[in-house]
Amino acid sequence: MTQADDRVLETLADSDLILSPRILSANTDYSRHYLSTRLGKLRDAGLVDRVDDGLYRITDRGLAYLGGELDAKDLEDNS
């Protein structure tokens, strides 16, 4: 997990919207390309769902991670 991962999850959780890497990039300090890569990793870890081509939302597992119920080490071991 990276600082960008936390930022993406927080943005998705706070907005409660389905967002694209482009929109996430406009609201964070990260490039669209970098966020696309990180969203793939977050999807592999079950923290976000891709609901359509290029559109993502946070999962219950992602919310649990933000709430401190899941450890980042456990996520990396599973992905």
Side-chain angles (χ1 to χ4, degrees), residues 21-22 25 30-39:
R22 184 174 146 268
S25 177
Y30 302 100
S31 74
R32 181 191 58 77
H33 177 74
Y34 179 71
L35 291 178
S36 293
T37 301
R38 295 312 308 163
L39 282 162

Side-chain angles (χ1 to χ4, degrees), residues 37-51 56:
T37 301
R38 295 312 308 163
L39 282 162
K41 300 288 186 186
L42 292 171
R43 184 175 168 216
D44 291 345
L47 301 176
V48 299
D49 278 335
R50 187 172 78 187
V51 296
Y56 297 85

Side-chain angles (χ1 to χ4, degrees), residues 7-21:
R7 188 82 185 275
V8 165
L9 292 172
E10 289 165 357
T11 302
L12 289 168
D14 290 346
S15 70
D16 195 31
L17 297 172
I18 296 168
L19 301 175
S20 69

